[in-house]
Amino acid sequence: MSDGETRKPLPVAVLISGTGRTLKNINDRVAGGRLDVDVRLVIASTSMATGVQYATEANAPSRVLVRKDFDSDESYSEAIFAACREAGAELVVLAGWLKLLVVPDDYQNRVVNIHPWLLPSFCGQGYYGHHVHQAAIDYGVKLSGCTVHFVDNEYDHGPVILQRAVPVSHEDTADTLASRVFEAECEAFPEALQLIAEGRVTMAGRIVQVT
Ligand code: GRF
């Protein structure tokens, strides 16, 4: 029997703030037998996040935890990671999550994010969604893409796991570029999650190795 047949799916919690498209992509991959993760919990930072319905489709419990109900980023993060721990999540997946998190010791290098750009440019607070793509178009770049990275306590800063580039044309708008990057994201994020689930991702400092 191969490792693939004996290995249990990696228990994950997925955190969302927006449409939940990224969560839906994860669910579709799991349903198609192409991603060995078990979505144990979905946490939304707002009750407006439509992704909560995708959680139901994945038979995952969901919770809404709103930043303004907490005094600080620390207490907010504590509540979120306590819920992840309770759900048995070994990896926390930020899938369009927009709030700052303070990662506790037991979740260091166990939180991953996807950013719709090639880090380390066009990133940090305020660079999300269309703001990123508009900034890239205004700058006149010829390449865009996405980055899957581990999360530390700064926006878009942790070690890079995987990047995918896409071309930018002079005819692109923020909308056309966003859809091209999102297509790349839909391949890159599950690929990175699968590598982690297979135990093939190791780190030396901020250098990530895939074996
Ligand atoms: C993606 O562009 C991703 O790069 C970023 O959030 C977007 C997905 O959000 N982190 P959503 O799934 O549409 O809410």
Side-chain angles (χ1 to χ4, degrees):
M1 205 178 254
S2 75
D3 276 2
E5 288 164 305
T6 54
R7 197 182 46 242
K8 286 204 177 111
L10 179 70
V12 302
V14 180
L15 275 51
I16 60 173
S17 297
T19 69
R21 293 174 304 162
T22 306
L23 170 63
K24 183 175 186 321
N25 182 49
I26 291 171
N27 286 349
D28 290 348
R29 294 284 172 134
V30 172
R34 293 194 292 156
L35 179 57
D36 297 327
V37 303
D38 175 13
V39 180
R40 294 273 182 95
L41 175 67
V42 173
I43 299 178
S45 65
T46 161
S47 55
M48 304 297 282
T50 54
V52 172
Q53 85 197 46
Y54 300 133
T56 313
E57 283 172 27
N59 295 319
S62 57
R63 292 182 61 175
V64 177
L65 289 170
V66 180
R67 171 65 181 83
K68 70 174 170 46
D69 293 339
F70 295 83
D71 292 340
S72 61
D73 289 334
E74 284 75 11
S75 57
Y76 186 50
S77 302
E78 272 165 27
I80 286 166
F81 285 102
C84 294
R85 238 174 251 125
E86 204 174 294
E90 290 177 20
L91 185 76
V92 175
V93 179
L94 308 191
W97 176 258
L98 295 176
K99 301 291 174 193
L100 187 69
L101 287 176
V102 181
V103 181
D105 287 349
D106 61 331
Y107 275 102
Q108 290 296 327
N109 299 329
R110 295 209 284 139
V111 183
V112 292
N113 181 44
I114 186 153
H115 182 71
W117 188 253
L118 299 171
L119 294 180
S121 49
F122 299 110
C123 63
Q125 193 161 16
Y127 280 102
Y128 62 90
H130 279 218
H131 302 287
V132 183
H133 303 297
Q134 192 60 57
I137 285 185
D138 293 345
Y139 196 90
V141 299
K142 302 298 181 207
L143 268 185
S144 174
C146 60
T147 303
V148 185
H149 64 97
F150 285 110
V151 171
D152 60 14
N153 296 338
E154 286 179 49
Y155 282 113
D156 303 327
H157 177 264
V160 171
I161 303 167
L162 184 153
Q163 294 186 300
R164 289 286 175 270
V166 303
V168 182
S169 127
H170 65 274
E171 290 175 335
D172 270 319
T173 62
D175 280 343
T176 58
L177 182 54
S179 359
R180 191 173 311 118
V181 171
F182 191 70
E183 271 178 42
E185 288 185 32
C186 286
E187 297 301 318
F189 212 6
E191 185 182 331
L193 296 177
Q194 182 63 19
L195 289 170
I196 295 170
E198 290 175 9
R200 293 172 57 196
V201 173
T202 54
M203 293 177 66
R206 63 167 292 126
I207 308 303
V208 172
Q209 266 191 7
V210 175
T211 50

